[in-house]
């Protein structure tokens, strides 16, 4: 599969594609915006790269945090379903009145 | 399982391996960003027209390139330590299996209830049936019940070996005279392959490990069958 810089598998790593896309968009906006404001080419590129890194990082951590919360909830649901199947109707059923 | 030209990890078959995969993704993204930054700096340095020979120091940039790597290392270290301690948790295993390394095969002992023990030799290439994997299949697999915590005690009878199953995120040295302990839970049924991971002589590459995770009922049937055969 395709890997960015030969190492980052954006197709299969959760949140990777989104983070890189957000970073690229921010990089273009920030770089272009800075250039339009100051007409300084090299400094605009610096800002573009800085914007890419910060936005990629921010998007990555936000998405991974939500992803991790979701995975925890999925694990709890999976265990809960197993326990429900095992204990439903027995004296150990917590929902039994 | 592994496939040709593979660069990344195998799919996770245990919760610990899932955590390791996610940690690897996290660290890889940091590495990717650092590589991008370094690449950009190289291009900028090569193409700059600025040539000031008299820049002697700059407190600001020195602070930045000291504090930033420290922050990055903390961002990597915290999840890493979390997983390290997660792997060491006491998990009340349902079953204990002893894996003993020999030259050049593994032997497994299930001695919790009955005295079940067997050797696990690699199936030679000329004896493989179609669909079997070269250098990975064994005559007897280590069968375990799925979704149950299993403790594996690893040791060796002669020289150093290592018991490794990448899909479960396990690697443990088999040292003669020493008992090493590891534990795992398989999240799903399946067959997971590994190979000896410590150089142990001529046939070090030809003593694979096969773990087969099956539902408990199937495991009970298998163990009864193995006891009858032995």
């Amino acid at each position: 599969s395709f890997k960015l810089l030969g190492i980052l598998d954006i197709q299969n790593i959760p949140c990777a594609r989104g983070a890189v896309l957000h970073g690229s968009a921010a990089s273009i906006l920030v770089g272009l915006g800075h250039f339009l404001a100051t007409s300084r080419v090299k400094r605009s590129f610096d800002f573009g790269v800085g914007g890419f890194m910060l936005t990629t990082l921010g998007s990555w951590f936000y998405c991974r945090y939500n992803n991790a919360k979701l995975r925890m909830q999925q694990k709890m649901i999976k265990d809960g379903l197993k326990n429900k199947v095992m204990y439903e109707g027995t004296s150990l059923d917590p929902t039994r009145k | 399982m592994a496939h040709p030209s593979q660069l990344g990890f195998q799919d996770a078959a245990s919760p610990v391996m899932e955590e390791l995969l996610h940690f690897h993704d996290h660290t890889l993204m940091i590495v990717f960003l650092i590589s991008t930054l370094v690449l950009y700096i190289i291009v900028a340095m090569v193409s700059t027209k600025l040539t000031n020979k008299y820049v002697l120091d700059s407190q600001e940039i020195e602070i930045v390139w000291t504090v930033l790597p420290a922050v990055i290392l903390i961002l990597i270290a915290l999840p890493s330590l979390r997983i390290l301690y997660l792997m060491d948790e006491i998990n009340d295993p349902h079953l204990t299996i002893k894996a003993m390394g020999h030259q050049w095969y593994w032997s497994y002992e299930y001695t919790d209830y009955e005295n079940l023990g067997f050797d696990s030799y690699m199936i030679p290439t000329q004896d493989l049936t179609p669909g079997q994997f070269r250098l990975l299949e064994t005559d007897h697999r280590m069968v375990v019940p799925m979704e149950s915590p299993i403790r594996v005690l690893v040791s060796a009878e002669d020289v150093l070996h290592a018991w490794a199953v990448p899909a479960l995120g396990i690697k443990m040295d088999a040292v003669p005279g020493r008992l090493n302990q590891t534990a795992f839970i398989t999240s799903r049924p399946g067959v997971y392959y590994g190979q000896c991971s410590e150089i142990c002589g001529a046939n070090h590459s030809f003593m694979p490990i096969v773990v087969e995770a099956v539902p408990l009922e199937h495991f009970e049937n298998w163990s009864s069958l193995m006891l009858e055969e032995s």
Side-chain angles (χ1 to χ4, degrees):
Chain A
S1 55
F2 172 71
K3 288 183 167 66
L4 266 183
L5 286 189
I7 58 171
L8 193 72
D9 184 357
I10 48 174
Q11 287 175 334
N12 293 318
I13 297 176
C15 301
R17 182 177 167 271
V20 168
L21 284 174
H22 286 132
S24 307
S27 149
I28 291 170
L29 282 171
V30 167
L32 200 62
H34 186 270
F35 174 71
L36 290 173
T38 62
S39 299
R40 294 174 70 182
V41 176
K42 277 208 184 270
R43 188 46 54 95
S44 301
F45 270 110
D46 294 343
F47 269 81
V49 168
F52 171 79
M53 293 190 53
L54 287 172
T55 313
T56 304
L57 219 54
S59 167
W60 170 258
F61 280 120
Y62 177 73
C63 179
R64 292 290 284 192
Y65 175 73
N66 289 334
N67 193 279
K69 264 201 309 195
L70 207 64
R71 278 194 308 124
M72 288 298 146
Q73 284 168 357
Q74 282 169 351
K75 270 192 199 147
M76 285 166 62
I77 290 171
K78 187 176 160 198
D79 286 339
L81 278 172
K82 243 195 328 193
N83 286 339
K84 184 176 168 64
V85 164
M86 247 192 334
Y87 295 119
E88 195 174 28
T90 67
S91 58
L92 296 167
D93 185 356
T95 59
R96 189 181 162 146
K97 290 196 174 65
Chain B
M1 64 160 289
H3 58 81
S5 318
Q6 180 176 343
L7 289 177
F9 289 117
Q10 296 180 29
D11 288 342
S14 75
V16 164
M17 189 58 198
E18 281 179 38
E19 294 294 326
L20 287 168
L21 271 178
H22 279 87
F23 171 69
H24 174 261
D25 294 342
H26 162 81
T27 313
L28 194 65
M29 178 55 81
I30 293 173
V31 163
F32 170 74
L33 288 173
I34 292 171
S35 306
T36 311
L37 178 67
V38 168
L39 205 61
Y40 176 72
I41 291 172
I42 289 170
V43 170
M45 291 296 107
V46 160
S47 58
T48 188
K49 289 192 180 75
L50 300 171
T51 48
N52 189 342
K53 297 181 289 184
Y54 298 107
V55 174
L56 297 174
D57 68 345
S58 168
Q59 289 301 327
E60 295 80 8
I61 197 167
E62 298 239 358
I63 290 170
V64 166
W65 70 34
T66 305
V67 168
L68 200 56
V71 167
I72 290 170
L73 287 174
I74 290 170
L75 277 181
I76 295 172
L78 289 179
S80 169
L81 287 170
R82 183 184 141 262
I83 296 175
L84 192 66
Y85 281 87
L86 193 79
M87 287 161 74
D88 262 351
E89 275 183 2
I90 313 289
N91 58 358
D92 192 21
H94 293 177
L95 186 65
T96 300
I97 304 172
K98 296 182 203 88
M100 303 293 292
H102 309 255
Q103 281 179 313
W104 287 278
Y105 62 98
W106 292 94
S107 65
Y108 301 107
E109 296 165 29
Y110 295 62
T111 48
D112 281 344
Y113 303 104
E114 306 276 352
N115 227 359
L116 170 61
F118 55 90
D119 297 335
S120 177
Y121 280 87
M122 184 188 87
I123 296 178
T125 306
Q126 59 267 25
D127 297 340
L128 291 171
T129 56
Q132 286 189 309
F133 300 111
R134 192 180 71 94
L135 306 186
L136 286 175
E137 299 286 356
T138 56
D139 54 358
H140 296 111
R141 294 172 171 174
M142 187 180 111
V143 179
V144 297
M146 57 179 261
E147 291 184 352
S148 300
I150 311 286
R151 170 167 50 209
V152 183
L153 299 172
V154 182
S155 187
E157 296 279 9
D158 35 48
V159 298
L160 292 178
H161 299 271
W163 196 81
V165 183
L168 302 175
I170 297 177
K171 187 178 290 180
M172 186 55 71
D173 282 353
V175 181
R178 179 184 169 88
L179 212 54
N180 280 334
Q181 174 182 294
T182 184
F184 64 91
I185 302 178
T186 49
S187 320
R188 50 193 169 85
V191 181
Y192 309 112
Y193 296 91
Q195 291 175 292
C196 178
S197 299
E198 185 68 42
I199 189 80
C200 53
N203 286 348
H204 155 68
S205 313
F206 309 114
M207 47 182 294
I209 296 134
V210 185
V211 176
E212 185 176 345
V214 296
L216 184 61
E217 204 186 297
H218 292 227
F219 171 74
E220 287 166 353
N221 293 339
W222 168 84
S223 52
S224 309
L225 212 67
M226 290 296 286
L227 278 165
E228 279 169 23
E229 277 178 18
S230 61

